[in-house]
């Protein structure tokens, strides 16, 4: 009966699901890849971790083939949070797509906002004024700290130190309060606009940011004190999830995961954008290639981000926060209400989108998770013909099977914490 | 006959005290963890949230009891009963105070089963039976995570019982008895075993953490890896019984440690200074207070450690048990034996 091909959308879905399952199980039971582990007693067990599992950071599904507690084979399955953003982008004007980027890496939405704004401006051949660039650099670093705080806290929680998770969460709450003061939203910020940012940051908010930064270093030291000299924590993290520099480059890893493998690649320094070429900061590199190195890279990067934030706050750039370019940038509200030309420009931008000249551009920023790139194929209209998102989480997750094989079940959660994937970004 | 009635009454009191202590511990754990984590903790139900445990129990009682399809139902049902029964029955050998001198000159011992000449052995034996509750729960649930949790706990308990037993042997060598009351009597006047057995105390403490499945040894229920471990498939009051058993175990482990190493209800000098005669009611109340105080310190340690340390990995746990604690325990016995032999 099963050989009879049934028709209808449900039957098709069922077939797709079946083929998919068979593919996963075939890969899982592939014996050619497991040289070290023989199984004379046939005591293997296939364990399905996720997509509803407390430690898989969202809806990541990991299939494990276990021998006792040892992982023989690991197959991550992605796609449970797929919302079709790349296709959606083709049906949005450039302006309309910015809020969608909040939902990519939802732990650092500011960073994504800046990424898409830079990509669209690059496609259009315009550049935001200096004050906007200064603000963008500032919020990027705040977003980096926010994301790294969650990564370190979640890693600690996964190996059992629940308290650290709540400490870092308390700090993130303060950051969210700052985001709220900056743009009015705590989580889905949508702060950037084409050619600038939505609004200026007033001085009293900047003073709040400085005050927060002063206190933050002390909190960070608390986290370091409770974990970095803790024998149990180091034993759980060091030597786990090894990924050599060659393998990391071959797999296309970026961000803290790559830098923890000893490769000093940071787009902020290698392809400077915004104000990064004028700022002084170190590219953090650890050479141990394991989960502990990834953890340490994130911890130390937070200190570098604080350093950058201090430099920015010490040398503010004054001026306009939005470019005066009626073809691409929406004019200010009072201009729309009082002037005819600006009203027409606003109407055109909102309804048909700001036109980008035909061509292909790729713009990448160093998001907290790694290289976040937007490849835009423009056809002269206000809609992208194609918008491809190069999301760091998806690329970094490729290393998971390589890191997990031969480790134990308890290491899987440490490895996931070390990669720090955000499924909103990996599944797009 | 009257002694049987008396024992039954004492047993009923002990059971109720243990359950109240377990409930109080749940509350304290939540408040202390909140304090450690910059939170507030339960403060809505009753004054300072003191009625929170009652609300929790009420909630658990009214929950649906779900048994998974294909689970082995008899074992699934019996597992939590084993856990809680073992945790509570250990209480009968614990002596929280010495005795009350009655008018007719007989001594009314406060312990439920006083002067049992195998008191400590009874504790060790029953605490090893406790593992059956967890293994059966893990196996009967028909769930891979539960199974892994059950397997982990059996391996963990067997390896840590050895270290625990060895540490207890050294303490018994110093005290010269297995009877809980005798052990306490031998430590009277501040000659607590912890001064002579610091290493033994450490080993016993670490092993107790492992025996009670508390962090950093809470591998059988490691939530990031195994969801809920052996009690993943339990709901309602069956889950509540496991929960209660964990806290009752914590309480009994602390009580046994107090008895073995911290002199039990003994507090040097103070009773004589206050003029409390042995056998009188004030003296018994004083001894109870001392016992409760010492147990509270250990219980706070249990909670404090849980919210500070990360969790061990399975193989690291085994390494610690077999390669560190077991040799240390053996060395401790040899050294203690030599000193006891030559000094006495």
């Amino acid at each position: 009966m099963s050989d009879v091909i049934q028709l209808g959308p449900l039957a098709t879905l069922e077939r797709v699901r079946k083929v998919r399952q068979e593919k996963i199980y075939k890969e899982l039971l592939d014996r050619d890849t497991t040289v070290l582990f023989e199984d004379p007693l046939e005591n293997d067990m296939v364990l399905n971790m996720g997509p509803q599992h407390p430690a898989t950071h969202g809806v990541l599904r990991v299939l494990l083939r276990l021998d006792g507690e040892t992982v023989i084979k690991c197959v991550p399955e992605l796609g449970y949070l797929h919302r079709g953003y790349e296709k959606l982008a083709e049906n949005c004007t450039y302006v309309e797509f910015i809020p969608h980027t909040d939902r990519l890496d939802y732990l650092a939405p500011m960073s994504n906002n800046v990424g898409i704004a830079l990509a669209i401006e690059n496609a259009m051949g315009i550049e935001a004024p200096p004050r906007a660039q200064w603000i963008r650099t500032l919020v990027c670093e705040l977003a980096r700290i926010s994301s790294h705080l969650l990564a370190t806290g979640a890693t600690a929680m996964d190996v059992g130190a629940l308290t650290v998770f709540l400490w870092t969460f308390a700090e993130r709450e303060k950051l969210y309060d700052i985001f709220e003061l900056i743009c009015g939203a705590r989580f889905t910020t949508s702060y950037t606009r084409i050619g600038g940012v939505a609004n200026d940051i007033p001085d009293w908010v900047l003073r709040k940011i400085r005050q927060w930064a002063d206190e933050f270093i002390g909190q960070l030291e608390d986290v370091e004190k409770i974990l970095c000299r803790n024998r149990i924590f180091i034993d759980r993290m060091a030597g786990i999830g090894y990924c050599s520099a060659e393998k990391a480059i071959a797999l296309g890893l970026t961000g803290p995961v790559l830098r923890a493998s000893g490769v000093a690649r940071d787009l902020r320094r290698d392809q400077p954008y915004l104000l990064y070429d004028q700022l002084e900061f170190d590219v953090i590199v650890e050479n141990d290639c394991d989960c502990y190195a990834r953890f340490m890279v994130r911890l130390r990067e937070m200190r570098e981000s604080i350093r950058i934030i201090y430099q920015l706050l010490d040398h503010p750039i004054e001026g306009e926060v939005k470019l005066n370019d009626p073809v691409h940038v929406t004019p200010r509200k009072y201009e729309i209400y009082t002037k005819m030309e600006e009203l027409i420009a606003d109407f055109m931008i909102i309804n048909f989108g700001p036109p980008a000249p035909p061509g292909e551009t790729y713009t990448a920023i160093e998001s907290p998770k790694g290289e976040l790139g937007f490849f835009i194929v423009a056809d002269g209209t206000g809609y992208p013909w194609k918008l491809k998102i190069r999301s760091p989480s998806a690329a970094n997750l490729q290393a998971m099977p390589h890191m997990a094989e031969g480790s134990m079940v308890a290491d899987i959660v440490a490895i996931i914490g070390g990669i720090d994937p955000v499924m909103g970004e990996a599944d797009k | 006959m009257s002694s049987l009635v008396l024992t039954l009454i004492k047993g009923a009191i002990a059971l109720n005290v243990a359950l109240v202590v377990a409930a109080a511990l749940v509350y304290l754990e939540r408040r202390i963890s909140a304090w450690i984590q910059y939170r507030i903790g339960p403060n809505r139900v009753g004054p300072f949230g003191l009625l929170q445990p009652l609300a929790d129990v009420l909630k658990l009682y009214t929950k649906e009891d779900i048994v998974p399809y294909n689970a082995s139902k008899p074992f699934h049902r019996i597992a939590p009963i084993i856990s809680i029964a073992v945790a509570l029955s250990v209480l009968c050998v614990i002596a929280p105070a010495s005795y009350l001198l009655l008018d007719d000159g007989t001594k009314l011992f406060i312990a439920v089963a006083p002067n049992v000449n195998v008191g400590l052995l009874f504790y060790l034996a029953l605490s090893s039976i406790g593992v059956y509750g967890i293994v059966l729960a893990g196996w009967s649930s028909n769930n891979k995570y539960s199974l892994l949790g059950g397997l982990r706990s059996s391996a963990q308990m067997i390896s840590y019982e050895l270290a625990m037993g060895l540490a207890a042997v050294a303490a018994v060598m110093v005290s010269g008895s297995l009877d809980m009351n005798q052990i306490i009597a031998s430590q009277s006047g501040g000659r607590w075993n912890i001064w002579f057995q610091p290493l033994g105390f450490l080993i016993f403490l670490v092993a107790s953490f492992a025996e009670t499945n508390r962090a950093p040894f809470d591998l059988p229920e490691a939530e990031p890896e195994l969801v809920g471990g052996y009690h993943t498939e339990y709901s309602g009051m069956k889950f509540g019984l496991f929960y209660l058993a964990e806290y009752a175990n914590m309480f009994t482990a602390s009580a046994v440690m107090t008895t073995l190493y911290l002199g039990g209800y003994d507090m040097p000098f103070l009773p004589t200074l206050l003029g409390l005669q042995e056998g009188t009611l004030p003296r018994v109340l004083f001894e109870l207070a001392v016992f409760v105080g010492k147990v509270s310190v250990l219980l706070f340690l249990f909670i404090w450690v849980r919210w500070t340390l990360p969790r061990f990995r399975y193989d690291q746990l085994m390494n610690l048990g077999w390669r560190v604690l077991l040799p240390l325990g053996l060395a401790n016995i040899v050294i203690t034996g030599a000193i006891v032999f030559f000094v006495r």
Side-chain angles (χ1 to χ4, degrees):
Chain A
M1 277 301 283
S2 60
D3 294 318
V4 179
I5 296 169
Q6 290 167 319
L7 295 174
L10 271 178
T12 314
L13 261 180
E14 188 61 28
R15 270 210 310 283
V16 168
R17 199 186 62 81
K18 212 174 150 194
V19 169
R20 212 175 147 95
Q21 288 290 356
E22 276 168 10
K23 211 172 146 191
I24 288 172
Y25 275 95
K26 201 179 158 205
E27 193 174 347
L28 208 60
L29 300 174
D30 183 7
R31 275 177 183 267
D32 300 338
T33 47
T34 56
V35 187
L36 284 171
F37 304 95
E38 289 301 318
D39 184 24
L41 299 175
E42 297 199 341
N43 52 1
D44 281 11
M45 177 165 91
V46 173
L47 186 71
N48 177 37
M49 244 186 170
Q52 290 154 326
H53 189 279
T56 49
H57 294 224
V59 286
L60 174 64
R61 182 185 179 204
V62 185
L63 281 132
L64 302 171
R65 184 164 151 230
L66 300 177
D67 178 10
E69 290 240 355
T70 313
V71 176
I72 297 176
K73 187 88 182 142
C74 161
V75 179
E77 199 202 355
L78 279 71
Y80 282 90
L81 203 61
H82 179 62
R83 293 149 298 175
Y85 269 138
E86 287 172 354
K87 189 67 190 166
L88 205 60
E90 295 166 19
N91 298 296
C92 289
T93 62
Y94 291 108
V95 181
E96 282 170 346
F97 189 65
I98 291 176
H100 287 303
T101 57
D102 294 340
R103 281 90 178 158
L104 284 176
D105 175 2
Y106 42 74
L107 300 175
M110 284 288 198
S111 190
N112 304 339
N113 294 158
V114 171
I116 189 73
L118 284 174
I120 295 170
E121 283 162 14
N122 193 10
M124 291 173 178
I126 58 175
E127 197 172 80
R131 171 74 176 178
Q133 300 215 7
W134 181 82
I135 290 176
R136 283 177 181 181
T137 319
L138 184 67
V139 294
C140 261
E141 290 311 311
L142 287 175
R144 188 181 314 280
I145 292 175
S146 162
S147 169
H148 281 359
L149 271 177
L150 188 107
T152 49
T155 308
M157 182 179 70
D158 288 347
V159 298
L162 189 64
T163 298
V164 177
F165 178 69
L166 282 143
W167 286 3
T168 56
F169 242 66
E171 281 308 301
R172 285 187 78 230
E173 280 303 309
K174 293 176 196 164
L175 263 175
Y176 277 164
D177 288 345
I178 288 171
F179 286 151
E180 192 181 12
L181 293 175
I182 291 174
C183 70
R186 292 163 64 81
F187 199 67
T188 47
T189 51
S190 304
Y191 182 49
T192 54
R193 298 287 181 270
I194 299 166
V197 294
N199 53 280
D200 203 353
I201 305 180
D203 279 344
W204 65 275
V205 175
L206 293 178
R207 280 198 295 279
K208 275 227 161 201
I209 295 175
R210 183 184 287 276
Q211 196 187 340
W212 167 82
D214 292 342
E215 290 166 7
F216 176 68
I217 290 293
Q219 299 291 336
L220 205 57
E221 273 166 5
D222 274 358
V223 173
E224 282 171 4
K225 266 184 220 158
I226 201 170
L227 289 180
C228 295
R229 289 174 62 80
N230 188 325
R231 176 72 186 273
I232 302 176
F233 183 72
I234 294 172
D235 278 355
R236 280 300 303 274
M237 303 290 286
I240 305 302
Y242 180 81
C243 185
S244 65
E246 292 79 25
K247 190 78 186 170
I249 293 170
L251 285 167
L253 307 188
T254 48
V257 187
L258 179 68
R259 291 194 283 276
S261 290
V263 183
R265 179 172 165 80
D266 189 329
L267 292 184
R268 292 179 293 174
R269 188 198 62 184
D270 298 339
Q271 292 172 20
Y273 54 96
L274 298 175
L275 301 179
Y276 283 116
D277 49 350
Q278 301 160 33
L279 294 165
E280 221 179 88
F281 64 97
D282 295 334
V283 175
I284 305 296
V285 177
E286 296 268 341
N287 294 316
D288 295 340
C289 314
D290 56 8
C291 284
Y292 189 65
R294 282 162 214 144
F295 178 82
M296 285 312 288
V297 164
R298 293 204 174 88
L299 261 189
R300 290 171 60 196
E301 271 186 8
M302 280 195 268
R303 284 177 182 278
E304 290 303 314
S305 291
I306 287 288
R307 213 172 127 197
I308 293 174
I309 287 170
Y310 274 133
Q311 288 175 46
L312 288 168
L313 290 175
D314 288 341
H315 305 286
I317 298 174
E318 300 299 334
E320 292 289 321
V321 295
K322 226 170 173 186
L323 197 64
N324 190 8
D325 176 359
V327 180
H328 298 112
V329 183
T330 47
R332 284 161 201 77
K333 218 64 179 174
Y334 65 88
E335 289 175 336
I336 298 169
Y337 287 152
T338 52
K339 293 176 184 158
M340 195 63 213
E341 293 296 321
E342 272 77 1
L343 179 64
I344 295 169
D346 184 67
F347 181 81
M348 293 301 285
I349 289 173
I350 297 300
N351 282 285
F352 305 106
E360 296 176 3
T361 50
Y362 175 76
T363 319
I365 65 160
E366 184 73 26
S367 92
K369 309 279 187 298
E371 179 181 334
L372 173 68
F374 293 94
F375 176 68
I376 297 178
V377 182
D379 57 357
T381 65
Y383 296 80
W385 187 80
K386 166 77 189 168
L387 195 151
K388 164 93 180 90
I389 304 165
R390 192 267 179 219
S391 62
S393 292
N396 290 353
L397 265 178
Q398 293 182 83
M400 170 123 199
H402 173 69
M403 290 173 181
E405 270 157 41
S407 61
M408 304 192 84
V409 179
D411 296 332
I412 295 290
V413 292
I415 290 167
I416 296 176
I419 295 175
D420 186 29
V422 173
M423 296 320 287
E425 188 180 60
D427 292 346
K428 290 178 280 207
Chain B
M1 196 60 199
S2 70
S3 73
L4 181 64
V5 173
L6 202 63
T7 309
L8 280 178
I9 292 171
K10 282 197 287 192
I13 293 173
L15 273 184
N16 282 307
V17 165
L19 290 177
V20 169
V21 164
L25 271 178
V26 175
Y27 170 77
L28 279 177
E29 169 121 50
R30 292 178 67 173
R31 287 299 282 210
I32 293 174
S33 68
W35 173 61
I36 292 174
Q37 296 169 346
Y38 306 148
R39 293 187 289 119
I40 295 166
N43 67 346
R44 282 292 176 272
V45 193
F48 308 106
L50 274 169
L51 299 179
Q52 185 68 42
L54 283 182
D56 287 347
V57 169
L58 193 70
K59 185 197 77 175
L60 285 172
Y61 261 118
T62 50
K63 286 256 178 190
E64 186 189 353
D65 174 31
I66 301 164
V67 180
Y69 186 69
N70 272 348
S72 173
K73 288 195 180 60
F75 291 119
H76 193 263
R77 193 164 297 142
I78 210 169
I81 300 175
I82 294 178
S83 273
I84 189 78
V86 164
L88 291 177
S89 48
V90 177
L91 278 173
C92 65
V93 290
I94 284 161
S98 55
Y99 59 87
L100 199 60
L101 210 54
L102 297 181
D103 292 338
D104 56 357
T106 51
K107 291 175 176 177
L108 173 64
F109 284 94
I110 304 299
V112 180
N115 302 324
V116 181
N117 57 2
V118 290
L120 188 61
L121 280 184
F122 181 77
Y123 168 72
L124 290 175
L126 271 191
S127 67
S128 0
I129 292 179
V131 71
Y132 281 102
I134 292 172
V135 170
L136 283 180
W139 177 77
S140 66
S141 293
N142 189 27
N143 177 320
K144 288 171 184 172
Y145 291 112
S146 299
L147 182 67
L148 279 177
L151 288 177
R152 280 182 180 189
S153 88
S154 52
Q156 169 180 336
M157 288 206 167
I158 288 166
S159 26
Y160 277 79
E161 245 153 38
L162 285 174
M164 194 181 208
L166 290 179
V169 164
V172 168
M173 284 160 87
V174 175
S175 292
S177 173
L178 284 167
D179 176 358
M180 293 292 200
N181 290 62
Q182 288 296 319
I183 290 172
I184 294 172
S186 76
Q187 301 178 57
S188 63
R191 290 184 287 108
W192 299 352
N193 276 345
I194 187 172
W195 313 132
F196 310 114
Q197 287 287 325
L199 184 63
F201 176 68
L202 265 181
I203 296 170
F204 201 91
L205 186 73
V206 173
S208 294
F209 273 90
E211 279 284 300
T212 50
N213 285 331
R214 291 283 297 185
F217 302 103
D218 57 345
L219 291 157
E221 45 182 318
E223 63 275 357
E225 309 139 40
L226 300 184
V227 192
Y230 60 90
H231 57 54
T232 308
E233 296 290 359
Y234 278 88
S235 62
M237 207 49 211
K238 280 186 191 165
F239 168 75
L241 285 182
F242 276 124
Y243 209 66
L244 221 53
E246 180 185 333
Y247 286 94
N249 270 329
M250 242 167 89
F251 175 58
T252 47
S254 302
V256 169
M257 268 189 281
T258 307
T259 307
L260 259 186
Y261 292 100
L262 301 181
Y265 45 74
D266 170 63
M267 178 59 75
F269 314 125
L270 214 54
T272 23
L273 279 179
L274 293 171
L276 300 172
Q277 286 296 316
E278 218 167 290
T280 58
L281 188 62
R283 172 70 183 251
V284 167
L285 291 178
F286 174 80
E287 284 174 348
L288 272 177
V290 169
F291 190 79
V292 168
K294 286 176 185 174
V295 169
S296 308
V297 171
L298 286 176
L299 286 175
F300 179 75
L301 185 73
F302 267 92
I303 295 172
W304 185 17
V305 165
R306 169 164 184 191
W307 298 105
T308 309
L309 293 182
R311 186 179 298 113
F312 277 101
R313 204 174 58 211
Y314 182 63
D315 56 330
Q316 293 164 352
L317 181 93
M318 289 292 145
N319 273 349
L320 183 70
W322 291 98
R323 291 202 194 153
V324 181
L325 291 186
L326 197 70
L328 276 180
L330 284 171
N332 193 34
I333 287 182
V334 172
I335 295 166
T336 312
I339 293 172
V340 167
F341 181 77
F342 287 115
V343 172
R344 286 208 183 134

